[in-house]
Amino acid sequence: MLRGLMQEHPLLVSSILAHAAKHHPGAKIVAATPDGARERTTWPGVQQEAKRIAQALARRGVQGGERIATLGWNCQHHLALYYAVSGMGAVLHTVNPRLFADQIAYILEDAQDTHLFVDPSVLPAVTAVADRLPKSLRAVILMRDAPLPDLPCEVLTLDALIAGEDGGMAWPALDERAASSLCYTSGTTGMPKGVLYSHRSTVLHAMAAVQPDVFALGALDVSMPVVPMFHVNAWGIPYAAPMVGASMVLPGPRLDPASLFALFEEEGVTASAGVPTIWTMLLQWLRADPARRFTQPPRLVVGGTALPVAVTEGFLKEYGVEILHAWGMTEISPLGSVNARKAENADWDQDRFLAYSRKQGRPQFGVDLRVRDAEGREIAHDDLAFGELEVQGHWTAAGYFNHERDPAVTGDGWFRTGDVVTVDALGSIEIVDRAKDVIKSGGEWISSITLENLAMAHPDVQLAAAIPVAHPKWDERPLLVVVPRPGTNPTPESILATLEGKVAKWWMPDAVEFVESLPMTATGKLWKAELKKRFKDYVLEKDTVR
Ligand code: ADP
């Protein structure tokens, strides 16, 4: 081998912040505080805070690989912690404060965290598990000043922690394969499992995230991750934005449409990312008053669950806002695929592409996809055949923390996503369902997501969930559970009429039940496992075999 004569530098998380602080000191970082005020800093300011935290942690004896947990919103201290912890060689473990107490206790124990940084507004999530905190936990540190709670370990504030530090340290040259952060899956389909990212995977993921067909970020952008920093590292935006020197707006805990819109307008946000519920609520709020218009329409990215085309269309046609539909998961850092145009569909008119935007799209470089059926054969790319999606790539998990031998990875090294998809001739995937949620009627599969999306097109339907109920002959049949829009009273027949002719006859739900609300997970996803439990003894009135 003739070895290339190029320098080799490890791909380190700290190098991203060092770059932004050195070359983009003019970019702004704005953080909305829990009480509605705004705090401002810069990339050098973030780096200074990060280095002071890193110094303090080192002084407390924190070692490489040690897990340091956070429970907080998108704020500048959380951003500084991202870099402080990973930068010094420890592992940043972001925990979702909206998880159930049992899950939080389980996650802290599983990760064996030694320090826990908490936003005071979510302290109840910690006090609720005070008697179950792991023995490994040495200190709880409040991210901002507040009365110190009584806990079975040392408690102090961030200010007190870093009071004696001057930020005069150099980031250590770590091995790029070292773990940098840890994120647990949100447990939609089971107990949470830890995904342990490396410096290398994080930097490569950020390089992919800024590309034109993904977040399209540059130095002139003002990027606002609405997706929380505990939800797959805010989809990598806290790394992607400083990599290109973009400004950042951190929305804090208030994610209601009015608060977000104020940030969009007043801070000149050009790019943002969030789950479908956030953008659906924003669209409804905008429509309620014709005066609510964007001065400069931002670009939005959506993922986490499928976005109904009606929302993409409303934003584009009524507000000039483009939404990019992306698919990902905790195990893939999260970026897996994006539905951006390519040569084959460049000339499609707006309506044709809008209809296509329901799909989750194609992988970007760094991710490879394969879809296999139950017999392990790759499926036809005909938009019809279903199979389980498998992923391989530079930022895809090779195993779970503490469960390295989890069967989620195939013998030939592909991560099994548990998502059931079709693939079309352009190579775009469409999520048909989670493997655990497909309704198996007479040995054939029915996509619960398709039924839900069609039902939600009914004007009086606020939310819909399709779940299987037991059937003596067909094993399972679909039941549609509907939350009507407030003040409306739709009939089962009118809802079923919106599905009629759009799906095969045998896909039609056998019954419609109305409920006031549906169970949601801590990341705002429909919690099907819980809903199925509630309806597990449901008996269909008549045998409507189709
Ligand atoms: P959890 O699996 O615990 O919900 P994640 O946040 O990692 O946690 O979710 C990943 C899953 O979310 C994917 O496997 C997929 O089922 C779903 N998902 C993500 N993006 C989309 C999307 N654009 N459309 C449909 N489903 C999506």
Side-chain angles (χ1 to χ4, degrees):
M1 176 183 80
L2 177 61
R3 194 168 176 138
L5 276 174
M6 306 308 287
Q7 298 183 5
E8 279 180 15
H9 300 284
L11 299 170
L12 298 180
V13 163
S14 57
S15 62
I16 302 175
L17 183 60
H19 167 82
K22 183 171 177 186
H23 298 288
H24 298 280
K28 65 174 180 181
I29 316 293
V30 184
T33 63
D35 57 8
R38 287 187 204 160
E39 292 173 350
R40 289 169 193 277
T41 182
T42 57
W43 288 119
V46 174
Q47 176 159 262
Q48 173 70 6
E49 184 179 350
K51 286 190 168 181
R52 291 176 72 197
I53 299 171
Q55 284 175 314
L57 292 176
R59 198 179 300 284
R60 295 177 64 89
V62 170
Q63 301 290 313
E66 206 169 303
R67 271 80 62 205
I68 309 291
T70 63
L71 271 165
W73 309 110
N74 294 12
C75 76
Q76 78 277 32
H77 307 300
H78 209 170
L79 187 60
L81 280 161
Y82 261 52
Y83 286 95
V85 174
S86 306
M88 71 167 298
V91 177
L92 174 91
H93 172 205
T94 53
V95 184
N96 181 345
R98 297 199 199 99
L99 289 176
F100 308 109
D102 281 351
Q103 289 179 318
I104 292 185
Y106 171 84
I107 286 175
L108 296 178
E109 181 65 39
D110 194 61
Q112 291 288 294
D113 299 295
T114 64
H115 292 71
L116 172 59
F117 288 83
V118 185
D119 188 289
S121 63
V122 296
L123 259 178
V126 181
T127 46
V129 296
D131 55 344
R132 286 183 281 166
L133 290 172
K135 297 227 166 16
S136 57
L137 195 66
R138 285 161 40 206
V140 166
I141 300 134
L142 303 189
M143 290 193 207
R144 51 184 77 245
D145 287 341
L148 301 182
D150 193 18
L151 290 170
C153 63
E154 185 189 356
V155 184
L156 67 168
T157 63
L158 180 57
D159 275 349
L161 178 82
I162 62 175
E165 313 298 345
D166 62 2
M169 57 90 81
W171 295 116
L174 308 166
D175 186 323
E176 66 178 21
R177 293 164 303 178
S180 59
S181 67
L182 173 66
C183 189
Y184 280 73
T185 59
S186 49
T188 306
T189 56
M191 264 325 241
K193 284 185 275 191
V195 180
L196 193 59
Y197 309 110
S198 67
H199 284 264
R200 177 185 162 82
S201 74
T202 305
V203 173
L204 291 175
H205 179 267
M207 283 179 153
V210 299
Q211 290 176 20
D213 286 348
V214 192
F215 292 140
L217 287 183
L220 298 186
D221 275 304
V222 180
S223 164
M224 177 164 75
V226 177
V227 49
M229 289 170 80
F230 50 76
H231 190 189
V232 210
N233 293 335
W235 300 351
I237 296 169
Y239 307 110
M243 182 172 272
V244 294
S247 291
M248 269 187 107
V249 175
L250 300 161
R254 298 184 184 200
L255 305 182
D256 61 285
S259 304
L260 290 180
F261 186 71
L263 289 170
F264 271 111
E265 282 299 284
E266 291 159 24
E267 302 298 343
V269 173
T270 60
S272 187
V275 292
T277 11
I278 293 282
W279 302 137
T280 306
M281 280 172 3
L282 179 62
L283 181 63
Q284 284 167 0
W285 181 87
L286 287 168
R287 280 173 170 161
D289 180 351
R292 295 172 183 162
R293 312 282 316 169
F294 288 105
T295 315
Q296 192 198 350
R299 306 183 307 275
L300 305 180
V301 176
V302 70
T305 54
L307 181 73
V309 170
V311 178
T312 315
E313 184 171 7
F315 267 112
L316 186 63
K317 291 189 172 167
E318 296 163 46
Y319 299 93
V321 171
E322 282 193 33
I323 302 191
L324 177 72
H325 190 183
W327 166 84
M329 56 197 306
T330 308
E331 293 89 333
I332 311 171
S333 302
L335 288 171
S337 72
V338 289
N339 192 346
R341 287 183 193 244
K342 57 180 189 171
E344 289 85 341
N345 58 11
D347 59 351
W348 288 7
D349 65 23
Q350 192 185 64
D351 284 330
R352 186 168 176 201
F353 192 71
L354 268 174
Y356 195 71
S357 70
R358 69 177 190 281
K359 300 195 179 210
Q360 286 76 10
R362 57 187 167 87
Q364 63 274 38
F365 174 76
V367 175
D368 195 12
L369 305 180
R370 144 176 122 174
V371 186
R372 297 194 299 159
D373 62 18
E375 279 80 49
R377 286 183 306 249
E378 289 211 34
I379 62 161
H381 290 191
D382 60 2
D383 222 359
L384 291 171
F386 290 8
E388 184 179 350
L389 178 61
E390 298 175 346
V391 185
Q392 217 170 41
H394 306 297
W395 47 85
T396 297
Y400 290 101
F401 185 56
N402 291 339
H403 303 271
E404 282 85 352
R405 299 216 160 267
D406 193 285
V409 178
T410 64
D412 59 345
W414 288 77
F415 173 75
R416 300 179 55 192
T417 64
D419 281 343
V420 176
V421 304
T422 58
V423 188
D424 66 19
L426 270 55
S428 271
I429 57 164
E430 181 166 1
I431 311 270
V432 174
D433 224 327
R434 295 219 190 201
K436 288 181 178 158
D437 293 338
V438 281
I439 300 163
K440 298 175 190 92
S441 174
E444 301 279 347
W445 285 2
I446 299 174
S447 154
S448 66
I449 292 181
T450 305
L451 300 182
E452 288 156 11
N453 284 347
L454 289 170
M456 301 240 262
H458 189 289
D460 297 342
V461 174
Q462 179 158 313
L463 270 178
I467 54 167
V469 286
H471 189 282
K473 181 163 176 201
W474 304 103
D475 287 337
E476 293 177 356
R477 290 295 304 155
L479 165 72
L480 195 65
V481 186
V482 169
V483 181
R485 262 186 213 292
T488 66
N489 205 2
T491 62
E493 293 72 30
S494 76
I495 293 171
L496 290 176
T498 59
L499 277 69
E500 207 78 59
K502 299 198 180 87
V503 292
K505 269 209 158 62
W506 61 275
W507 277 38
M508 290 295 284
D510 283 20
V512 180
E513 284 292 327
F514 294 98
V515 291
E516 270 173 25
S517 65
L518 289 172
M520 293 292 194
T521 67
T523 43
K525 296 186 192 194
L526 199 56
W527 195 13
K528 286 238 175 110
E530 178 64 23
L531 190 66
K532 284 184 207 169
K533 254 192 240 159
R534 282 190 206 171
F535 281 92
K536 77 176 183 347
D537 299 323
Y538 189 84
V539 181
L540 291 165
E541 270 179 21
K542 55 182 177 357
D543 190 4
T544 42
V545 177
R546 291 160 198 275

